[in-house]
Amino acid sequence: ELKVEQNPLFLSMQEGKNYTIYCNYSTTSDRLYWYRQDPGKSLESLFVLLSNGAVKQEGRLMASLDTKARLSTLHITAAVHDLSATYFCAGQRSNYQLIWGAGTKLIIKP
Amino acid sequence: NAGVTQTPKFQVLKTGQSMTLQCAQDMNHEYMSWYRQDPGMGLRLIHYSVGAGITDQGEVPNGYNVSRSTTEDFPLRLLSAAPSQTSVYFCASSYSKGRIEAFFGQGTRLTVV
């Protein structure tokens, strides 16, 4: 059964710093998804990682996937306040089901 | 395009009451799903549908019913509300099977007292 674990669950950091959020999953997951959620808002898709070694970048965020290690990372470069949000990863258990991590609440202080 | 539209945004129910959460999408997506979000637990799949007339259970289906009579609409029914169903509910739709990158509605915050 696919299980997805994120760490850390909470992260407070200063603007300008770099940091990484980790997403481990327990069994095979063909794809890995990253989402962002602002407080009281809906979820927004950030990245879809389709294969081993996949790397995607959007602005200060970069996501990667290592299917052999069952690990995906979301790296934040030179953080800015606007990136404060909760970030979720999700693995794909079948054609129709996503299994979600608990989320990482990221607070970036000026 | 409006995307995925959920109503209502907020609802308070008394224990034992029933209600329907509405979800509609205008993107002609085949796949639709309902999730609940609880603090510290991520999202959990309640029910999903792969097309009109086809539904199936997710991880936490008890106490909920769904139907899919059209491609656009996927309502979620709470049969007899319980305090344990206090949560934020999200409806989502996706292009197709395989790659189920989901587009989410704005959510319904439900409180059962």
Side-chain angles (χ1 to χ4, degrees), chain B residues 44-79:
Chain B
R44 292 182 292 169
L45 183 65
I46 303 171
H47 285 285
Y48 64 94
S49 168
V50 301
I54 306 169
T55 64
D56 206 347
Q57 297 180 350
E59 300 172 77
V60 289
N62 292 341
Y64 308 95
N65 274 354
V66 292
S67 60
R68 184 96 178 268
S69 56
T70 67
T71 300
E72 295 78 19
D73 299 301
F74 191 43
L76 177 72
R77 283 183 290 276
L78 280 71
L79 307 175

Side-chain angles (χ1 to χ4, degrees), chain A residues 1-6 23-35 43 72 88-103, chain B residues 31 33 35-36 41-46 48 57-60 100 102 104:
Chain A
E1 180 180 349
L2 177 61
K3 293 184 179 180
V4 178
E5 290 188 357
Q6 285 182 240
C23 178
N24 294 89
Y25 54 96
S26 59
T27 64
T28 300
S29 177
D30 290 339
R31 297 172 180 84
L32 200 291
Y33 301 77
W34 284 96
Y35 284 81
L43 288 90
S72 180
F88 291 92
C89 64
Q92 185 168 328
R93 184 167 71 180
S94 68
N95 279 338
Y96 305 111
Q97 295 193 24
L98 295 179
I99 303 299
W100 296 77
Chain B
Y31 178 58
S33 53
Y35 291 92
R36 60 177 288 171
M41 299 186 71
L43 280 77
R44 292 182 292 169
L45 183 65
I46 303 171
Y48 64 94
Q57 297 180 350
E59 300 172 77
V60 289
I100 46 177
F104 283 84

